[in-house]
Amino acid sequence: MNIYLMRHGETDWNRARRLQGQSDIPLNEYGIKLAEKTAEGLEEVEFDAAFSSPLCRARRTAEIVIGTRNIAVETDDRLKEINFGAGEGTYFDPAKQDPAHPMHNFFCRPECFVPMEGGESFDQVRKRVGEFLRERIFPLEGDYSNILIAAHGALIRSVVNGLAGIPDREFWQLGLPNCAVSILSLKGGELTILEKSRIYYDAPVNARP
């Protein structure tokens, strides 16, 4: 069974380089176009099921890709982006440039990242997405061939980095543009990576924070 793990399209906060986390920011016009281009690239894939974060930027991306297929997009809270708590809305560049900024380590020393009040750690994200995969995806092996999952940058990196053996200090090594698709294979209860971060449009958008 193949799992198409897809990041959502562009939002205005992506363009402004702000941390969205679990803030429910919609796709902008260009983000919709990216999703439509990606839908064209995946039009020959016979998806059997589709799952998404309930955040509208991911859910709308999934709906665009599924298109006219007779498949409902099922949402699951465990696919939400990492929660930044009090750090939501933070602009990337000031945080990256100031070592005293509470979100500096998230960008520059991710192995030392400690979430702000109300936020999540990388381990907490890995735990919940792992539970989702074990409970909702693994049981489908043998019955389904292709699954779409629409989610978010940090969450997807948590999955792909774990499979690739990439440590937290290199968390941002994987460029993950908006609407990038990482294709995983599930065989005998084991996940492997078939392809990382493929895009179906011309130039990568918002690949790294």
Side-chain angles (χ1 to χ4, degrees), residues 82 113 120-129 158 168:
I82 186 171
F113 171 60
E120 289 182 292
S121 67
F122 291 128
D123 282 343
Q124 288 172 308
V125 175
R126 280 189 283 261
K127 181 176 184 293
R128 62 176 165 86
V129 71
S158 294
D168 281 352

Side-chain angles (χ1 to χ4, degrees), residues 33-129:
K33 290 180 180 178
L34 294 181
E36 290 171 345
K37 282 284 189 183
T38 306
E40 292 173 8
L42 295 172
E43 63 184 352
E44 300 300 322
V45 179
E46 296 182 2
F47 287 113
D48 300 297
F51 298 86
S52 174
S53 157
L55 299 175
C56 64
R57 60 190 184 271
R59 187 180 68 248
R60 181 67 182 130
T61 300
E63 291 168 348
I64 291 169
V65 171
I66 290 301
T68 59
R69 298 174 180 87
N70 188 26
I71 297 172
V73 176
E74 180 178 339
T75 61
D76 194 297
D77 283 349
R78 293 171 293 186
L79 292 173
K80 286 183 178 180
E81 180 60 299
I82 186 171
N83 187 345
F84 294 114
E88 302 229 339
T90 295
Y91 286 90
F92 293 8
D93 296 320
K96 292 173 72 174
Q97 294 162 9
D98 179 5
H101 194 288
M103 292 302 296
H104 178 78
N105 284 350
F106 178 75
F107 296 105
C108 300
R109 298 179 65 201
E111 73 279 12
C112 299
F113 171 60
V114 175
M116 294 180 68
E117 182 179 355
E120 289 182 292
S121 67
F122 291 128
D123 282 343
Q124 288 172 308
V125 175
R126 280 189 283 261
K127 181 176 184 293
R128 62 176 165 86
V129 71

